[in-house]
Amino acid sequence: MATLQKTLKASTGATAHSQRLINAVVVSAGLMDKTVKVRIGTQKWNAHIRKNFNKTAHLLVHDPRSSLRTGDVVAITPGWRASKHVHHVVDHIIAPFGEPIDARPAVMSEAERVAEREAQRAAKVERRRLRDLERGGERDVRVERGSEDLLDGGVVEEAGGEVLSRAERDRREHAEKVLAREERRARVAALKAAGGQEGAEVDEDAGTLKKVEDAFEKKRIESEEGKTGEEAPKQEKKKGWFSL
């Protein structure tokens, strides 16, 4: 008997807490498109008296079919982001005020909301695909995460007719950039080893390597001038200063 009671309690608790519901009162409706303002009851802890006091708060709630009226007692659920400041959605009407429920548009269920959002997302991806085809067959790489399967599995056709996945194309571009960077470093290292001598032939990045060559030549000249004429007076001055 005790085991049966624990099982029933666990099952009912999981059902009740599978979706968090908050009771609220609509204080403003009809002023915003598919959005109402509601008042909820909360509690605030007073650290001095060490007691919770009742407090009210206001939230913006998404109403997909404009089913709510001012004064309705409704149940809302969090976790449905409709805009920057709207993170709650109406779940059902507990007690209507004024106009009866039968005369209003029906409140959307969670399954209907999810199906509508997926349909809107699929339509958006299809519009983007058609727009990219009109531009010349190019595909936009700014695809939403999780929507690559809607665009032919994320397949991209290159200019040469080769069909690659987006990941493979990105890997090839990265490998080409790394190879070009290593070649530039090797040429600069060879120029440094040559000591800035004339006649060093460079196929690419001639301007950059010429600047490096000039910098090494200037540094070599300055070092030679410092050894011949500038270091002796400095040493004498330093020696004279220590003699004081």
Side-chain angles (χ1 to χ4, degrees):
M1 186 65 179
T3 306
L4 180 61
Q5 290 178 352
K6 289 182 180 179
T7 306
L8 292 175
K9 185 176 180 180
S11 61
T12 54
T15 304
H17 293 86
S18 60
Q19 184 179 14
R20 181 188 173 197
L21 297 178
I22 304 173
N23 295 338
V25 179
V26 181
V27 297
S28 176
L31 302 180
M32 295 173 283
D33 185 25
K34 298 182 180 180
T35 305
V36 297
K37 186 178 181 180
V38 302
R39 182 181 66 245
I40 62 173
T42 60
Q43 287 189 336
K44 184 177 181 180
W45 174 257
N46 190 310
H48 179 68
I49 304 178
R50 302 183 63 81
K51 181 180 178 181
N52 284 319
F53 288 90
N54 294 332
K55 181 185 176 182
T56 59
H58 292 84
L59 299 172
L60 295 179
V61 179
H62 181 55
D63 184 13
R65 294 179 178 173
S66 301
S67 307
L68 303 183
R69 304 292 183 267
T70 303
D72 291 346
V73 181
V74 297
I76 63 176
T77 178
W80 188 269
R81 190 180 187 278
S83 65
K84 181 179 179 180
H85 301 288
V86 182
H87 297 170
H88 296 72
V89 64
V90 59
D91 186 84
H92 62 273
I93 301 175
I94 299 175
F97 183 82
E99 187 178 0
I101 298 180
D102 298 336
R104 308 181 188 181
V107 178
M108 295 182 67
S109 63
E110 184 179 5
E112 292 175 344
R113 294 197 305 269
V114 172
E116 183 183 21
R117 174 170 284 186
E118 293 298 331
Q120 292 176 355
R121 184 173 298 175
K124 179 179 179 181
V125 173
E126 180 64 19
R127 290 194 304 268
R128 180 177 294 172
R129 187 181 67 84
L130 295 176
R131 184 176 64 247
D132 296 336
L133 291 176
E134 291 176 358
R135 292 177 180 176
E138 298 179 357
R139 294 181 183 272
D140 193 353
V141 298
R142 298 171 299 172
V143 181
E144 298 180 67
R145 183 176 298 176
S147 302
E148 289 83 359
D149 54 341
L150 299 177
L151 291 177
D152 302 335
V155 176
V156 180
E157 184 175 355
E158 295 292 335
E162 186 179 4
V163 179
L164 301 173
S165 64
R166 297 182 185 276
E168 182 63 24
R169 185 195 59 184
D170 295 341
R171 281 195 293 268
R172 289 193 179 185
E173 292 179 355
H174 179 69
E176 292 176 358
K177 291 180 181 179
V178 172
L179 183 60
R181 185 168 62 246
E182 294 298 331
E183 290 178 355
R184 288 197 301 270
R185 289 179 178 176
R187 289 195 296 272
V188 172
L191 185 60
K192 290 181 180 179
Q197 298 177 359
E198 297 182 357
E201 298 180 357
V202 180
D203 296 335
E204 298 178 0
D205 297 335
T208 304
L209 296 177
K210 186 66 170 59
K211 292 180 181 179
V212 175
E213 181 181 358
D214 295 341
F216 275 101
E217 183 66 20
K218 183 178 179 181
K219 186 175 181 181
R220 184 178 61 81
I221 294 173
E222 291 178 354
S223 62
E224 291 179 356
E225 291 179 354
K227 289 180 180 179
T228 56
E230 295 182 358
E231 292 184 358
K234 289 183 179 179
Q235 291 179 358
E236 292 178 359
K237 185 175 180 180
K238 187 179 293 185
K239 187 181 295 183
W241 180 80
F242 278 112
S243 62
L244 296 177

